[in-house]
């Protein structure tokens, strides 16, 4: 959604430039598209793996991953250890973490998702997400699922948190832009634009727009931690 927004604003500002077409599919798909030449630029929300080392990464912003629950859930925050316990299946009821006596419904992202990869790295630390978790293919779908389930918990980008869900503090620190910038909120991952070899002048122009003042202003307005 962030790239789509940037592409729309870019088209308004530079109507004579070629259109930027944006497709989703997860970070692994973005890397693969750039590696195979299917796209000039790939989008990723995790660090490059060893098999993707041919790619040149450009950090366009950083994003905080936020644990979200239904607004009616009385739980205000969790420790990282509790989150790991919930998503590994060791903690199965909300009353084990200060909530009501109801079974926890875990909502996760699919394998290959950058959000899932970052969550696994930052939170799970080698642990495996419980097989009974509901798996969704986008941050928006996770948000919608949790918004409709009083016992649900999932993780999404800070910039996509709205009133339909409640964001949880982690280890006593609220998930805010300020705390992510200060480094006190630690569930933070990079948003990358990746490419293989030298970009065409038009593609480079778009990358320069994203990393320049206008693009960074747009991303800041969406709740991302900008590079400028």
């Amino acid at each position: 959604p962030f790239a789509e927004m940037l592409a729309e604003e870019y088209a308004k500002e530079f109507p004579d430039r070629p259109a930027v077409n944006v497709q989703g599919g997860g970070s692994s798909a973005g890397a693969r598209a750039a590696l195979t030449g299917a796209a000039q630029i790939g989008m990723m929300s995790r660090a490059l793996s060893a098999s993707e080392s041919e790619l040149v990464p450009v950090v366009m912003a950083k994003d905080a991953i936020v644990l979200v629950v239904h607004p009616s859930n009385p739980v205000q925050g969790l420790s990282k250890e509790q989150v790991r316990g919930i998503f590994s299946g060791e903690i199965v009821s909300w009353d084990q973490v200060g909530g009501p006596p109801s079974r926890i419904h875990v909502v996760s992202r699919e394998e290959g998702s950058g959000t899932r990869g970052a969550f696994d790295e930052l939170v799970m630390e080698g642990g495996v997400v419980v097989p009974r978790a509901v798996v969704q293919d986008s941050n928006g779908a996770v948000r919608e699922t949790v918004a409709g389930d009083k016992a649900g918990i999932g993780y999404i980008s800070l910039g996509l948190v709205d009133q339909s869900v409640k964001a949880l503090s982690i280890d006593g620190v609220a998930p805010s832009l300020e705390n992510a910038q200060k480094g006190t909120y630690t569930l933070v991952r990079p948003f990358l634009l990746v490419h293989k070899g030298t970009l065409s002048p038009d593609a480079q122009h778009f990358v320069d727009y994203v990393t320049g003042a206008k693009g960074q202003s747009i991303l800041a307005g969406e709740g991302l931690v900008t590079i400028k």
Side-chain angles (χ1 to χ4, degrees):
F2 301 113
E4 288 175 347
M5 182 180 304
L6 289 164
E8 289 174 7
E9 293 301 318
Y10 180 80
K12 293 176 186 175
E13 190 159 343
F14 302 101
D16 295 332
R17 291 273 182 175
V20 178
N21 299 307
V22 180
Q23 293 184 345
S27 293
S28 296
R32 189 162 56 249
L35 283 167
T36 60
Q40 291 194 58
I41 302 168
M43 300 181 294
M44 301 182 68
S45 53
R46 60 166 172 78
L48 295 173
S49 67
S51 64
E52 298 159 350
S53 59
E54 287 182 71
L55 295 172
V56 177
V58 178
V59 179
M60 74 175 207
K62 293 183 179 179
D63 176 46
I65 295 177
V66 180
L67 277 297
V68 293
V69 296
H70 191 273
S72 67
N73 194 320
V75 174
Q76 299 297 320
L78 297 167
S79 68
K80 191 183 293 186
E81 186 176 357
Q82 287 174 322
V83 176
R84 191 182 307 120
I86 288 171
F87 278 82
S88 67
E90 295 174 13
I91 298 174
V92 298
S93 178
W94 279 111
D95 58 6
Q96 293 177 263
V97 291
S102 61
R103 185 174 179 83
I104 298 173
H105 298 160
V106 175
V107 185
S108 186
R109 287 293 305 278
E110 78 285 7
E111 294 285 352
S113 153
T115 313
R116 171 68 178 270
F119 181 79
D120 286 348
E121 178 185 340
L122 296 169
V123 176
M124 298 307 292
E125 298 179 357
V128 178
V129 173
V130 63
R132 63 177 170 79
V134 174
V135 177
Q136 298 289 9
D137 62 0
S138 71
N139 276 320
V142 171
R143 183 181 64 190
E144 185 176 343
T145 301
V146 173
D149 185 352
K150 291 183 178 181
I153 183 171
Y155 51 89
I156 63 175
S157 297
L158 173 62
L160 296 178
V161 174
D162 62 16
Q163 293 182 342
S164 70
V165 292
K166 182 169 74 175
L168 299 181
S169 296
I170 302 298
D171 292 323
V173 181
S176 67
L177 184 61
E178 181 183 1
N179 289 338
Q181 288 171 330
K182 289 191 300 185
T184 54
Y185 186 82
T186 58
L187 302 188
V188 178
R189 53 153 174 180
F191 273 180
L192 305 178
L193 300 177
V194 298
H195 61 91
K196 183 180 178 182
T198 304
L199 284 171
S200 70
D202 285 322
Q204 185 63 58
H205 190 264
F206 177 69
V207 171
D208 291 342
Y209 172 80
V210 171
T211 57
K214 184 63 180 294
Q216 292 295 293
S217 175
I218 293 169
L219 293 173
E222 294 303 309
L224 295 183
V225 183
T226 54
I227 59 176
K228 298 290 176 66

